[in-house]
Structures are given as structure tokens and as C-alpha cells.
Amino acid sequence: MYPLMFKPILKERIWGGRKLEEKYGRQLPEGKIGESWDIACHPNGTSIVDNGIYKGKSLSELIEERGKDILGKIVEEDFSKFPLLIKILDASDVLSVQVHPDDEYAAANENGELGKTEMWYILDAEPGAIIYYGVKPGISREEFREAIEKGQLESYLGRMEVKKGDVIYIPAGMVHAIGAGIMICEIQQNSDTTYRVFDWNRKGADGNPRELHIEKALDVIDFEGKHSREKVKGLAVQEQGGERTIYVACRYFVMEKLDIAGEMKECADGDKFFTLTIAEGSGEIRYDGGVQAFSAGDSLLIPASLGSYSIAGDCTVIKAYVPDRQKDIVDYLEAKGFTREQMNAIAGLFED
């Protein structure tokens, strides 16, 4: 096996723009391109390999042929789906206010679809750009419903100014919306289930209001404030070749940022696969079978069976993977001398 690269799956959205072309030099079709599914294996979009001997083969076909070599132990756990979806989003206009269900609600109401917990890494943001994040404290379900019906929901939502490099954790049930002028890398469960709560009273491309999913949304919204409504601080560890910052370590995925100046050694020992998205800079993956170059905007899948490899260059890399168990992260950080209190800077680490 070797590091896999894919053809981006581009999706037009009413709120999209052209920054994927401007920032990363991607060839885009006409229109407002809002989403690029960079690593995907979902009925609504499956990646096609764009390098090496498997070029032209879909990720689903490759997993069927080389499942354990690609995914590692996840195959033994009988995952019915590839567990992650990696996207880049370009919001030239504000997105709808939306929320995602958890696994239990999605299984019961969305034909067995997974729930959706996700996180955002802000790749770029115009000065003063904001996101909407969470329901303000003390707002009841009925007050929220009434505000939707009146078309006056904004004052009921938390809002947060964001800048390049910020990390936002969005567990299932957290109401959210990306504001205008923001580009993000999104790591999420492999789900395309979104409940649109409010769409700023605008109309779709067909001239009609876009569909809302108010009743389902009200069923799953976190009105109690169970989760933090702050940016994720993360915990940084100095390593040879750069700095590793762990931002999210929930049951569904771990997200690390690697700031590399030189060469950082990594290993895919057969247990799990990794995804790498290049936020900035350029470099190469060095592995036993060769070298794979990359540049800003690229995403790669590191197969579980790749073995020892290194990431070399001057770059910022967003790394994601499915943890064997969250305790492994705790043990790793305790060995580095961090306390449990310090580990609270990592989102999702001590969730049930």
C-alpha cells in the first residue's frame, strides 16, 4: 500500500464561492462551489483514487478488496461504513442554522444513517467573520420554536468571532452555522444527515424557501448546554521535527494539528488508518515504498498497513483517525507529564 490521494468531489451550494480555486488552484465547474468532499465513502459521494497503481478505483472498491490493509482493526469491529468524512467548505455567504442527530436518533429516524459529530479547523477567515454556535442559556424549546416561526432566530443563538487556526468542536445536538467569509476543514462522522433549523428567510435557487426540518431539529437540539460553547484550546506536545497539538479526542475521531519544520516520524502499524489534510505549506510523505509529495489543500489517506513513515517539509497538517479507545490518549499525555486538569483543553476526551 501507499499514501492515497483522491479526486475532490465538488458540490455546488447556495452559500458557496470560488476560494477553492483562488486558494488551492483547483479547477472548479461554474457556480458557487461550497463543499469539497476530499476523503469520502458515502452513498452521496465516494472518492476516486487519483495516484499510484489504484488510480481510477473508488475507495469503496478498494476497501472491499483490501479492507484490513486500508482500515486496520476497524474491519474486525464490523463497521458497516467507512467511519470518517473529510471536507473543505467555502462559505461566501452564511449557511443555514442547522443541527445534527446522534447515532441513536439517526438510526431510528434516518434509515440507519450514522449520527454526526464534527469539528472545524478554520483555514481562512475574513476580518470580523463569525460563526453561530449553540443556543443562548435559558432559552426553552417553545421559545426557540416561536422565534423560528417569526423568522427572528438570530438573537437566540450564541455567536463567536473566528480567525485562521481556530478549532471548533460540534457534538451532535449543538446548533451551529458558518458565517460568511470563512473556509474550514471539517472532520466528521461519515454522515450526510443535517436538520435545517432556520435559513435567514432567504429563497433557494428555484425561488422557493429551502426545506426546514423543525420538528426533528427540536428533538435533538441541546437546550441544556451540556457541551462547551468555547473554542477548543488543545494541548501541545513538542516532538522532533515539530509540534503536535491534540484538539479533539472524542469516541468518533481524534484530531491533531502537526506543525512541521523538518521531518516528523509517524507509524501506521496495522491498527488504524489516518487522514492528513494540508492546511498550509508543502512537503512529502516518506515511506518504505517511496515518496508522495503534497501541497496546501491536499488530503491523503494513510493506509493502516503502510508501516513507518514520516512527514517532511514546512507545513501545517490536520491529522485525523478513529481511536482504539480514548484512554490511550490519556495514557500518552500522562506519560508526557500532563495532568487531567490540563487535558480538559481537549474536546470530547472525557465524554461518556
Side-chain angles (χ1 to χ4, degrees), residues 3 7 25 27 34 79 83 86 115 156 175 208 232-233 240 258 272 283-284 288 303:
K7 295 179 180 179
Q27 293 184 340
F79 265 74
I86 313 299
Y156 288 74
V175 171
N208 296 312
V232 182
K233 296 177 181 177
Q240 184 175 354
L258 309 179
K272 61 177 73 70
E284 60 187 25
D288 187 50

Side-chain angles (χ1 to χ4, degrees), residues 175-189:
V175 171
H176 58 278
I178 305 171
I182 299 173
M183 177 177 277
I184 71 169
C185 172
E186 181 173 284
I187 313 294
Q188 60 161 90
Q189 286 181 269

Side-chain angles (χ1 to χ4, degrees), residues 100 116-120 133 168-172 174-176:
H100 309 298
K116 188 174 174 183
T117 285
E118 62 189 28
M119 57 75 49
W120 299 339
Y133 189 59
I168 313 297
Y169 177 57
I170 305 167
M174 179 71 77
V175 171
H176 58 278

Side-chain angles (χ1 to χ4, degrees), residues 54-56 100 111 160 180 197 258 261 320 333 351:
Y54 295 115
K55 185 173 182 177
H100 309 298
N111 298 315
M160 178 191 303
V197 181
L258 309 179
L333 291 170
E351 288 181 359

Side-chain angles (χ1 to χ4, degrees), residues 78 137 232 237 244 310 319:
D78 193 30
V232 182
V237 180
R244 181 189 311 272
S310 64
K319 176 182 175 181

Side-chain angles (χ1 to χ4, degrees), residues 110-137:
E110 303 298 337
N111 298 315
E113 174 84 319
L114 293 175
K116 188 174 174 183
T117 285
E118 62 189 28
M119 57 75 49
W120 299 339
Y121 177 85
I122 307 298
L123 292 167
D124 200 8
E126 295 177 3
I130 64 165
I131 64 168
Y132 295 91
Y133 189 59
V135 180
K136 285 185 177 178

